[in-house]
Amino acid sequence: MGVMMQAFYWDCPKVDNKEFVWWDYIQEKIPSLAEVGISALWLPPVHKPPNINGPSMGYDPYDYYDLGEFEQKGSVKTWFGSKQALLKLIELAHRNNLAVIADMVLNHNNGADEQEVNQRDGKSRWTLFNKIKSEKFFRSWDCFHPSPFKEKDEGAFGDMPDLSHSNPYVYAEIIKLAKWLVEEIGFDGFRYDFVKGYNTWLIKAIQKKEYTKNGQLFKPYGVGENWSGDSQIEYWLNQVNEDNDNPIDAFDFPLRYKLKELCDTFGFSLRELLSHETVFKDQPFNAVTFVDNHDFREREGPEIVQDKLLAYSFILTHEGYPCVYWKDYYNYGLAQAGTPHGINALIKVHEDFAGGSTNNLWVDDNLYIMERTGWEDKPGLIFVLNNTGDGWNGAWVSTQWQNIEFKPVAWWSAQDNSTPANQFVHGDGRGNFSAPPRGYTVYAPQA
Ligand code: CA
């Protein structure tokens, strides 16, 4: 399964002083990310947005086929760079065995060239996209709700014109776009933005379509941004994956909120981590787990600020497809390369040991111990999380192993980063495992 990286954060080109060269910046990092064990990059939207109040992150598409090639909306390049630089990035990623995921903003558009009257309701709206420089996927009033084909769909994003996928022209153009992104540009999968805004049949159609890559049939990866509670997300997953031979994942927002509490709320009970009000517990093979993303900022809800490695230790040892956030990895320095204390060590744990189902061996308010049972070439692990700041905390637990030594392979503490001792699981399966104050230890069985 691997580990995904979200290769951007809000306003990243400006904050990191990489305006119009973000693609080059990612390229610089690709070899080291590959070496650490990152296996996929989720890129920000690649198309040209209208850049209405300055450069845009792209969540308001104007010209889907201008990837930084045409002089319009303020520049040839997008805020992230030129089409050429994007193509170079994708090529380099592939040479390093990294998949590249495109951010599909299919619910709405922005920055139309002219206002026009909607012939269904007689109201004037910005819906005429007729000066698009790529000269592909022109749009007019009947491409948006209310259209002659549908009055409205599941939702709109603010007052941005809401694409009417029921218009056969729009549908055909979106399928063509997906095909172009995979077959011409080189993308390996899609992250679907704001899926609450439209019906699942469109995603199903994109996922089920047959693509060709290097002369072979190819199935793209998919993950949807359904920002809601676990029951809504699981309902959506069941819908989008019903009768779908290329099923997709969903981001585990409910888990993210629990991890936020784990890190930032004093007195959070670790028993909450066993709750089934998360996606990864109920649909482990369709959950993308994450700690923060580009939308967690200021008014939308703050980032996790305290002891964030506790959250990373959780997603990189448990089920689900973990996604590491660029800002945490680079800007907040949580990679901790060359040490057992950061994201790098946890990615290695994920890749080398974290396989099989999870057995919870101990849980109380401040101590959580589980084992991954192992699967194929991954032998499993024991994970201990200690929520108290009052010293080391551990317990004797009954594991699935016998007569085997365990070594700490990743650990961190807000207070004490001394190396945890090796532990021995005895003939009766019992062993004593512990973690440092406000910290975690991952133990791996020694062959
Ligand atoms: Ca919509």
Side-chain angles (χ1 to χ4, degrees), residues 107 153 155-156 162 197-198:
N107 177 67
D153 66 358
D162 195 53
Y198 57 94

Side-chain angles (χ1 to χ4, degrees), residues 69-210:
E69 185 181 5
F70 301 99
E71 177 66 60
Q72 60 181 345
K73 302 297 181 188
S75 57
V76 172
K77 294 178 179 179
T78 69
W79 207 15
F80 307 113
S82 67
K83 179 183 178 183
Q84 266 174 322
L86 172 66
L87 293 176
K88 266 182 73 182
L89 182 168
I90 293 173
E91 196 202 324
L92 183 66
H94 288 165
R95 259 191 281 138
N96 284 275
N97 295 318
L98 266 74
V100 188
I101 298 165
D103 206 318
M104 299 291 266
V105 186
L106 303 176
N107 177 67
H108 51 269
N109 291 163
N110 198 15
D113 301 300
E114 279 178 48
Q115 269 190 317
E116 53 182 355
V117 173
N118 180 298
Q119 291 175 28
R120 182 161 172 171
D121 69 359
K123 287 184 186 156
S124 206
R125 291 188 186 83
W126 288 91
T127 49
L128 186 61
F129 294 74
N130 65 346
K131 297 193 171 66
I132 287 168
K133 289 271 177 74
S134 72
E135 301 188 357
K136 288 181 180 143
F137 198 3
F138 289 116
R139 281 145 278 160
S140 56
W141 72 272
D142 58 352
C143 295
F144 301 94
H145 296 121
S147 81
F149 303 89
K150 207 167 168 61
E151 191 196 348
K152 60 177 183 175
D153 66 358
E154 277 70 5
F157 191 80
D159 55 6
M160 291 193 198
D162 195 53
L163 272 172
S164 185
H165 306 146
S166 301
N167 179 332
Y169 166 75
V170 173
Y171 169 73
E173 284 294 332
I174 288 176
I175 295 293
K176 216 190 283 180
L177 174 68
K179 193 173 161 66
W180 181 73
L181 288 169
V182 170
E183 297 184 349
E184 301 290 322
I185 304 304
F187 279 105
D188 307 288
F190 302 117
R191 177 263 183 192
Y192 297 93
D193 181 63
F194 193 60
V195 300
K196 284 162 84 170
Y198 57 94
N199 198 275
T200 51
W201 62 257
L202 181 71
I203 294 173
K204 206 184 276 198
I206 295 172
Q207 290 297 121
K208 286 171 77 170
K209 192 181 158 43
E210 288 190 340

Side-chain angles (χ1 to χ4, degrees), residues 83-379:
K83 179 183 178 183
Q84 266 174 322
L86 172 66
L87 293 176
K88 266 182 73 182
L89 182 168
I90 293 173
E91 196 202 324
L92 183 66
H94 288 165
R95 259 191 281 138
N96 284 275
N97 295 318
L98 266 74
V100 188
I101 298 165
D103 206 318
M104 299 291 266
V105 186
L106 303 176
N107 177 67
H108 51 269
N109 291 163
N110 198 15
D113 301 300
E114 279 178 48
Q115 269 190 317
E116 53 182 355
V117 173
N118 180 298
Q119 291 175 28
R120 182 161 172 171
D121 69 359
K123 287 184 186 156
S124 206
R125 291 188 186 83
W126 288 91
T127 49
L128 186 61
F129 294 74
N130 65 346
K131 297 193 171 66
I132 287 168
K133 289 271 177 74
S134 72
E135 301 188 357
K136 288 181 180 143
F137 198 3
F138 289 116
R139 281 145 278 160
S140 56
W141 72 272
D142 58 352
C143 295
F144 301 94
H145 296 121
S147 81
F149 303 89
K150 207 167 168 61
E151 191 196 348
K152 60 177 183 175
D153 66 358
E154 277 70 5
F157 191 80
D159 55 6
M160 291 193 198
D162 195 53
L163 272 172
S164 185
H165 306 146
S166 301
N167 179 332
Y169 166 75
V170 173
Y171 169 73
E173 284 294 332
I174 288 176
I175 295 293
K176 216 190 283 180
L177 174 68
K179 193 173 161 66
W180 181 73
L181 288 169
V182 170
E183 297 184 349
E184 301 290 322
I185 304 304
F187 279 105
D188 307 288
F190 302 117
R191 177 263 183 192
Y192 297 93
D193 181 63
F194 193 60
V195 300
K196 284 162 84 170
Y198 57 94
N199 198 275
T200 51
W201 62 257
L202 181 71
I203 294 173
K204 206 184 276 198
I206 295 172
Q207 290 297 121
K208 286 171 77 170
K209 192 181 158 43
E210 288 190 340
Y211 301 81
T212 312
K213 221 172 198 191
N214 308 317
Q216 307 227 312
L217 272 185
F218 178 81
K219 297 254 176 208
Y221 171 77
V223 55
E225 183 217 15
N226 188 325
W227 194 339
S228 17
D230 69 305
S231 54
Q232 290 103 313
I233 297 173
E234 287 167 30
Y235 178 78
W236 179 84
L237 273 173
N238 290 336
Q239 276 205 322
V240 75
N241 288 335
E242 188 189 5
D243 186 30
N244 182 350
D245 61 356
N246 186 21
I248 88 164
D249 296 344
F251 288 107
D252 196 342
F253 280 91
L255 175 65
R256 188 270 169 190
Y257 286 104
K258 288 209 187 295
L259 296 175
K260 162 97 178 138
E261 282 194 74
L262 161 68
C263 295
D264 287 344
T265 305
F266 183 79
F268 174 78
S269 170
L270 298 186
R271 292 176 205 272
E272 281 284 309
L273 297 174
L274 293 184
S275 154
H276 275 262
E277 291 164 1
T278 52
V279 184
F280 89 101
K281 277 271 182 209
D282 295 329
Q283 302 204 21
F285 297 109
N286 296 104
V288 172
T289 53
F290 67 101
V291 172
D292 260 330
N293 70 26
H294 60 292
D295 281 325
F296 288 103
R297 57 183 201 275
E298 300 127 33
R299 68 196 156 86
E300 284 84 358
E303 292 176 342
I304 294 174
V305 289
Q306 297 242 47
D307 305 337
K308 212 164 184 174
L309 284 170
L310 300 180
Y312 276 103
S313 74
F314 193 87
I315 67 165
L316 286 158
T317 51
H318 285 71
E319 285 103 328
Y321 181 6
C323 181
V324 172
Y325 185 35
W326 183 282
K327 194 176 186 185
D328 290 334
Y329 191 83
Y330 289 112
N331 301 67
Y332 296 147
L334 299 185
Q336 301 278 309
T339 79
H341 307 310
I343 293 175
N344 276 14
L346 289 167
I347 292 173
K348 193 162 167 48
V349 160
H350 184 267
E351 294 304 287
D352 292 353
F353 301 104
S357 55
T358 297
N359 294 327
N360 292 101
L361 307 180
W362 183 282
V363 68
D364 62 34
D365 288 343
N366 286 317
L367 181 66
Y368 172 102
I369 306 178
M370 68 81 159
E371 67 184 1
R372 291 295 297 277
T373 56
W375 181 255
E376 292 182 341
D377 59 340
K378 295 178 182 176

